[in-house]
Amino acid sequence: VNEIENGETIVLIREQAEQMGRMLREQRSVATQLGAVLAALAEGIVLADEQGTVVLANRSTRRILHLNPSSFDEAALEGTSLRGACIGQPVSTLFAACSPESRKVLCQALTSSSDAAGVARRVPGKPKQGVGVEETTREPASVLLDIQERVVRASLTPMLDEEQQFAGTVIVLRDVTLEQEVARAKNDFVSLVSHELRTPMTSIKGYTDLMLKGAVGALNEQQKSFMTIVKSNVDRMAELVSDLLDVSRLEAGRVRLTLGRLDLAGVILEISQELAETMRQRELTLHFDLPPGLPPVCADRRRIVQVLLNLLSNAYRYTLAGGKITIAVQALDDEVQVDVIDTGIGISEQDRESIFERFYRADHPVVREQAGTGLGLPIARSLIEMHGGRLWVRSEEQVGSTFSFTLPVYTEGPAR
Amino acid sequence: MTRILVAEDDLDIRELIAISLRYAGYEVIPAADGQQAVDLTIAEKPDLIILDVQMPRVSGFEALEQIKVKPEFADTPVVILSAKGQESEIQAGLELGATQYILKPFSPDELINKIKQIETDTVETTVETLSE
C-alpha cells in the first residue's frame, strides 16, 4: 500500500513540476513578447512605482531623454528592456537633461497623477500582485518638456492594483519637436498673412468710409451704393482673416483667456444696443429674458462678446423679416445658461452637429445668400469650452433654432 | 485744438488717419517711423499719440517705452493701431502704457470715437484729481 501511495505521490509531484515548468515557460514567453514590444516602440516608456522610483525604462527612453549611455548598462539587458544605473533611482534622475522648469512641471504632473487615482497611497511593503493600469475614461495627464532644444510630450497614467490602491505611474514619452515646429511655422504663416492682408484692408475700408461719409464731397446714389458694396466686402474679408487667425491660435493652444467677474446681462444689453440698427433694417424684433439677481460669471469679456455677436449674427442672418430673436439667461446650480432663440429657417437634423465643424455651411438657399466663413460656430464652441462651459443647439426646420451655452458662476478666491 | 501725433510707416494709412482726424477737427503731427515719433513727441509735446506697432528703425512698442519713461509724457494718452491682434501683443501694448489698442482694419469713425472717449475720460480724471 505504501509503495502504491509513494508512486501516486511521485506522479502527482511530477505533474505539478511539469505544470509549473509550463507556466514558467509561458510567463517567460509573455515577458519576452512584452519586452520585444517595449524595445520596438519609438515612444519611451518609463514605469515608476508608488514612491516615484524607476522600475522599468525601455530603450527609446534613453534616446528621447538624452541620457548618458552609462546610465544604462546595456550588457545587463534582461530580455529587451533596459536595466541599469537609473533603475531604482528617483524618476527625476531620468529627466536630468530637462530644463529646471520642465522638471518642476513633471514633478507636479507625477503628484497629480497619484492624486488623480483618487485613492490613498500604498503602504510601503504591501504586496503588489495584480498591478494594472487604471481603467478610466479620463485622458492621461500630458505635459510638454524642454530637453536640449527638443520638445518631449510626457503622458502620465496612474496604475492601480487589485485593491484599487495607487501602485505607480506609467510615463509615455514622445519627441514632438517636429510637430511643434510645424505648428509654430503654420501659426507664424497665418499671423504673417493676416498682418499683410490687414494693412491693405485698412486703406480700402478707411478710404471707403471717408467717401461714404462725404469727407471728400457728396456722392450720388449709385456711387454710394457701389461704395457700400466695397465696404461690406472688405468687412467680410476682415472677418475671414480674423476667424482664420482665431482658428489657427485655438489649434495651437495660443489663445489665453483673461478671466474675471463678468455681468452677463450688462454685456448682452450693451451688444443689443450696437445691433439695434441692424435689427431695425432687417425688420426683426429683439427680446430679453434677463431675470433680476443673476450671478456674475467667470469669463473673458472680449471673448464672450465675440461668442454672443456670432450667435446673434447667425440669428439675424437666418431669420426672415418679421421674425423674433430672444436672449434668455437663467442661473443654474453653479453655472449660468444663455439661450439665443430665433424664429428663423431652422437647421436640419443632419446639419446640427456639422455646423460646429470648420468651414461647414448648411446647404440652404438662405444660408448661401448670406456671407459667412463657416468658422464662427467652431470658434464659439472652442472658446466656451475653454471657459469650462458647453455650447449646443436645438432646432426645428421652419420653426427656429436655440443656441445655448453655459459659463461657470464667478466665485471669490483662486481663479478656476 | 487737440494736437495728435500719428506715427505710421504706411503712407496711405498715415494719410487716411490724418484726413480723418483733420475732418474731425484735430491738428495732426505726422511721423513715418518710431524714431520720428519719439523725436517729434519731445519737440512738439502732442496731447495724444497714435502709434503703429510694426515700423522701421524703432517699433511702436519701443517708441512707446521710450516716451513713457519721460515723466512729462507719463500721462499722455497713447493709442496703438496695429494689424497684430494676438492677446499677448495687446497685453504687451497695454502693459507698456497704451490707453487703447485698436486692431486694423478700423473705420475712421471708430478711431474718432475712441479719441473722444479718451478726451472725456482725461477731463473726468483731471476734474476728479482737482476735486480731491
Side-chain angles (χ1 to χ4, degrees), chain A residues 187 191 195 198-199 201-203 205-207 209-210 213-215 238 249 254-256 302-303, chain B residues 10 12-13 15-16 19-20 23 54 83-87 90-91 103-109:
Chain A
N187 197 277
S191 292
H195 180 265
R198 275 178 170 162
T199 304
M201 273 194 294
T202 305
S203 290
K205 183 179 166 67
Y207 284 107
D209 280 352
L210 274 181
K213 68 193 283 189
R249 282 188 221 148
R254 284 194 179 182
V255 172
R256 298 277 174 266
R302 191 167 81 92
R303 292 304 189 176
Chain B
D10 186 301
D12 292 343
I13 299 176
E15 280 295 305
L16 167 71
I19 294 168
S20 307
Y23 187 72
Q54 205 164 305
K84 290 170 170 285
Q86 299 213 20
E87 278 86 353
I90 297 172
Q91 194 65 30
L103 194 59
K104 291 175 183 173
F106 59 91
S107 74
D109 281 349

Side-chain angles (χ1 to χ4, degrees), chain A residues 194-255:
Chain A
S194 306
H195 180 265
E196 293 309 312
L197 285 172
R198 275 178 170 162
T199 304
M201 273 194 294
T202 305
S203 290
I204 301 170
K205 183 179 166 67
Y207 284 107
T208 309
D209 280 352
L210 274 181
M211 289 182 78
L212 275 170
K213 68 193 283 189
V216 284
L219 301 180
N220 66 34
E221 281 311 305
Q222 196 171 34
Q223 287 167 335
K224 208 179 271 182
S225 158
F226 288 0
M227 293 312 284
T228 306
I229 292 170
V230 174
K231 180 179 154 56
S232 77
N233 277 281
V234 81
D235 283 344
R236 198 171 150 186
M237 274 174 73
E239 188 187 336
L240 176 62
V241 167
S242 191
D243 284 353
L244 281 172
L245 203 54
D246 270 346
V247 165
S248 166
R249 282 188 221 148
L250 283 163
E251 275 182 359
R254 284 194 179 182
V255 172

Side-chain angles (χ1 to χ4, degrees), chain A residues 287-358:
Chain A
H287 301 259
F288 304 97
D289 181 4
L290 307 170
L294 283 169
V297 293
C298 180
D300 181 325
R301 183 190 166 86
R302 191 167 81 92
R303 292 304 189 176
I304 295 307
V305 167
Q306 182 181 351
V307 170
L308 280 165
L309 279 176
N310 175 265
L311 298 184
L312 284 164
S313 67
N314 282 343
Y316 69 65
R317 279 172 178 169
Y318 307 124
T319 302
L320 304 178
K324 177 179 162 187
I325 295 167
T326 307
I327 308 173
V329 184
Q330 56 177 313
L332 305 175
D333 288 344
D334 53 358
E335 289 180 321
V336 171
Q337 181 174 322
V338 180
D339 299 311
V340 177
I341 309 153
D342 66 55
T343 57
I345 57 171
I347 304 161
S348 70
E349 197 176 344
Q350 66 188 49
D351 283 334
R352 261 170 241 163
E353 265 313 299
S354 305
I355 54 170
F356 292 104
E357 291 167 14
R358 282 176 297 160

Side-chain angles (χ1 to χ4, degrees), chain B residues 36-117:
Chain B
Q36 264 195 31
V38 177
D39 296 343
L40 284 169
T41 297
I42 295 165
E44 301 285 339
K45 296 187 174 45
D47 302 303
L48 193 144
I49 300 165
I50 295 174
L51 288 175
D52 178 27
V53 174
Q54 205 164 305
M55 290 190 286
R57 294 210 288 167
V58 172
S59 78
F61 282 168
E62 287 164 346
L64 176 58
E65 212 168 0
Q66 290 179 31
I67 291 167
K68 283 291 172 184
V69 291
K70 299 184 190 307
E72 65 264 43
F73 302 117
D75 294 330
T76 306
V78 177
V79 175
I80 298 274
L81 270 182
S82 175
K84 290 170 170 285
Q86 299 213 20
E87 278 86 353
S88 55
E89 290 153 352
I90 297 172
Q91 194 65 30
L94 297 177
E95 279 173 8
L96 284 171
T99 319
Q100 286 279 353
Y101 196 108
I102 300 176
L103 194 59
K104 291 175 183 173
F106 59 91
S107 74
D109 281 349
E110 184 190 353
L111 176 65
I112 303 298
N113 288 340
K114 296 274 186 199
I115 290 172
K116 283 184 178 159
Q117 183 61 48

